[in-house]
Amino acid sequence: MWARLHGPTWVVAVLTYGGWLAATYAHRWVPLPILAAIGGFLIAWQGSLQHETIHGHPAGPKWLPRALGSPPLALWLPYELYRDSHRRHHATANLTHPEHDPESSFVRRDDWQRMPPWLRTLVAMQATALGRMLVGPFLTIARFLKHECAAVVAREPGRRRIWALHLVAVSLVLAWVLAVSGMPLWKYLLAFVYPGTGLTLLRSLAEHRADPIPARRTTVVEAGWLFRLLYLNNNFHVTHHRAPHVPWFQLPALWRGERERVLRDGSHVVYGEGYLSIVRAHAIQPIANLGMYDGGDLTAANDELWTRIAERLRARGMIGVPSSLERHRPLDAIWSGPLLFGQTCGHPFASRLSEKMKVVGVPVYEQPGCEGIQHRSFIVVRASSELRRPLDLLGRRAIINDPESNTGRNLFGDALVAAGARYPFFATVTISGSHLASLTAVADGAADAAAIDCVTYAHSLRANPRLGNVTRILLETRLSPSLPFITSRENDADALLAAAREALADPRTQASRRALGLVGIEAIDARAYGLTRQLAVHADMVFGPKGYDL
């Protein structure tokens, strides 16, 4: 009966609003740091309660959850806009993509490149735990209000009504805060709104991550009781997305029922040591990322490899070595630093990253198509297609993973130019976002041809043999240097190379090396990646001067 009546949710509501009334009224007797801790908790707690009401809890008339979640204690976010945005977040099949997910913290490459350096720094800081809590509220609120001002000025349907009602509700909240409690507005913003928004953003830092496959972008944080209560078990985010209709107090049991399966198949990242471990790992230190070949069963392999590299670096006296790999930031933010150890595509390095990054070394992969420190792409088509020669692709549908990709675009275009192709050549060229997505599109008949780097091709076929059964290699491209390991210019690349080599020689990385197909790492002159600029010129001759046609 207690659960059916959503008793736990009503208790939270009474404690949240009752605690807020008490804390605001007693503000003059509470030291500011303690008030900020209490006020921040209460605002974040009400945000969790609002999230619960958006999903229709507690049960009852339709107006009841909305009435319970509507009071704008945080002042800046109208409940109706939050509700609509969150429903679109759950409805999209492309979580975290900034063009599809309204709650994404990622940014589009074009937007990133247009940002002034100071704004890039602030945005990148949001991918750290401290930056998320200290800078995140300012950026989040400022960007939201800027967007909403534009929407109101443009007379978007319903916007003026929403904000008129919201301002009425805000005036009632401020009447209590300013007139009844006698709290100055600056104090309420500093002790309640700002820390509360920061705590909410800490939760969202670990809810979703970057992964080529959208289904793997949701995570779980196995938190302690305090954070579970604060976030109303939304830390079990995989379970919540699978069953958004389930009330918060039933999520732990559902998670226990699927935990073993999730851990076994590696379909989602599980942070087993709670939010404090996330803060420790992602506070302010330089980051490490091995995201070019990651996800699925490669996640554990990269984690083990990085653990051994980090051990060697610490043994050499290096401080601030991250204990885990960064998987939340967009690649452009990762490559902007501070980066201790990462991997990038050769063309972005040669065209724009070499001024702030330097090469640590080049990997040696033991996969079909690789030769020493070089790799190539396979131009793939459906196995059942009549396509036999490169020029048979004239007037067909091409798909590339990214306009800056050396393997997905440059080598593709270079091979076709060598066969005699010239722009305009393809009927359409679309962008998939990843090699795996391109390969899947060809396999499913959504595109006619794609260039897949040979390492990704091997991993994809091992993970999903069907892709190899329904596609075939039409042409192998020329060789070019494999994807370089890089670091920020201020770091000791020689020490990083030595540590990586020692880690690869460690018997404990044998399984990781086998899974990754990684047999070594060699030094290379960074100028070798100048080849990618020549290949890009050839690719322009097929794809056009923009690099792609939409």
Side-chain angles (χ1 to χ4, degrees), residues 355-488:
E355 293 184 357
K356 51 190 173 185
M357 297 288 163
K358 56 186 176 183
V359 173
V360 172
V362 58
V364 179
Y365 292 108
E366 196 173 51
Q367 302 285 13
C370 295
E371 294 182 21
I373 63 172
Q374 300 186 96
H375 68 172
R376 56 167 48 89
S377 289
F378 297 145
I379 298 178
V380 299
V381 297
R382 279 186 63 83
S384 60
S385 76
E386 73 278 18
L387 303 169
R388 292 291 180 264
R389 299 176 301 127
L391 294 183
D392 290 343
L393 295 175
L394 177 65
R396 301 288 183 154
R397 302 165 299 164
I399 189 166
I400 61 176
N401 60 315
D402 190 282
E404 278 196 306
S405 173
N406 185 56
T407 51
R409 175 185 175 271
N410 294 354
L411 288 171
F412 195 179
D414 174 75
L416 293 176
V417 165
R422 293 296 185 273
Y423 178 83
F425 184 73
F426 291 110
T428 61
V429 179
T430 56
I431 302 171
S432 67
S434 71
H435 277 303
L436 178 58
S438 295
L439 181 59
T440 302
V442 173
D444 293 342
D448 297 313
I452 311 298
D453 90 84
C454 58
V455 178
T456 296
Y457 192 73
H459 289 318
S460 300
L461 267 58
R462 180 169 55 86
N464 185 358
R466 169 188 169 272
L467 295 174
N469 295 332
V470 299
T471 64
R472 59 180 169 85
I473 298 173
L474 177 70
L475 181 69
E476 296 185 4
T477 71
R478 73 157 86 178
L479 291 164
S480 69
S482 292
L483 309 184
F485 293 119
I486 59 173
T487 188
S488 296

Side-chain angles (χ1 to χ4, degrees), residues 140-425:
T140 298
I141 296 172
R143 285 190 295 189
F144 174 78
L145 294 180
K146 178 184 177 182
H147 175 271
E148 287 305 306
C149 284
V152 170
V153 170
R155 295 179 178 271
E156 288 191 11
R159 269 307 196 274
R160 294 192 173 191
R161 178 190 61 81
I162 290 172
W163 277 100
L165 293 175
H166 178 70
L167 291 176
V168 170
V170 167
S171 67
L172 295 176
V173 171
L174 291 180
W176 170 268
V177 172
L178 304 178
V180 178
S181 300
M183 183 188 299
L185 180 60
W186 67 264
K187 190 174 185 180
Y188 184 71
L189 295 176
L190 183 64
F192 284 78
V193 176
Y194 206 90
T197 304
L199 280 173
T200 299
L201 291 175
L202 174 62
R203 186 201 72 208
S204 66
L205 173 66
E207 285 180 346
H208 298 286
R209 69 184 190 97
D211 193 284
I213 299 177
R216 295 202 298 241
R217 294 176 184 172
T218 309
T219 69
V220 165
V221 181
E222 296 186 312
W225 69 268
L226 183 62
F227 279 103
R228 291 202 309 270
L229 181 63
L230 173 62
Y231 297 141
L232 297 186
N233 292 324
N234 207 25
N235 51 291
F236 301 118
H237 215 56
V238 168
T239 305
H240 169 64
H241 266 265
R242 186 179 62 78
H245 60 283
V246 173
W248 66 276
F249 49 86
Q250 293 178 356
L251 288 177
L254 285 184
W255 166 242
R256 288 192 295 271
E258 64 180 352
R259 182 179 188 276
E260 184 177 350
R261 175 189 60 78
V262 171
L263 293 175
R264 184 176 60 252
D265 62 25
S267 57
H268 299 277
V269 170
V270 177
Y271 298 97
E273 298 180 6
Y275 287 97
L276 293 182
S277 70
I278 294 173
V279 172
R280 286 194 301 268
H282 302 282
I284 57 175
Q285 59 193 10
I287 60 175
N289 172 269
L290 295 173
M292 301 306 286
Y293 303 116
D294 199 21
D297 61 348
L298 300 184
T299 299
N302 279 321
D303 286 342
E304 174 62 21
L305 178 60
W306 176 248
T307 296
R308 303 310 163 199
I309 294 175
E311 283 179 355
R312 299 308 191 282
L313 292 174
R314 295 189 188 102
R316 291 170 177 269
M318 189 174 290
I319 61 174
V321 178
S323 58
S324 60
L325 294 171
E326 167 58 47
R327 290 188 170 97
H328 294 283
R329 306 187 194 196
L331 287 175
D332 265 330
I334 290 172
W335 297 337
S336 296
L339 179 64
L340 180 61
F341 195 93
Q343 191 174 23
T344 184
C345 177
H347 184 52
F349 175 78
S351 62
R352 60 185 176 87
L353 297 178
S354 57
E355 293 184 357
K356 51 190 173 185
M357 297 288 163
K358 56 186 176 183
V359 173
V360 172
V362 58
V364 179
Y365 292 108
E366 196 173 51
Q367 302 285 13
C370 295
E371 294 182 21
I373 63 172
Q374 300 186 96
H375 68 172
R376 56 167 48 89
S377 289
F378 297 145
I379 298 178
V380 299
V381 297
R382 279 186 63 83
S384 60
S385 76
E386 73 278 18
L387 303 169
R388 292 291 180 264
R389 299 176 301 127
L391 294 183
D392 290 343
L393 295 175
L394 177 65
R396 301 288 183 154
R397 302 165 299 164
I399 189 166
I400 61 176
N401 60 315
D402 190 282
E404 278 196 306
S405 173
N406 185 56
T407 51
R409 175 185 175 271
N410 294 354
L411 288 171
F412 195 179
D414 174 75
L416 293 176
V417 165
R422 293 296 185 273
Y423 178 83
F425 184 73

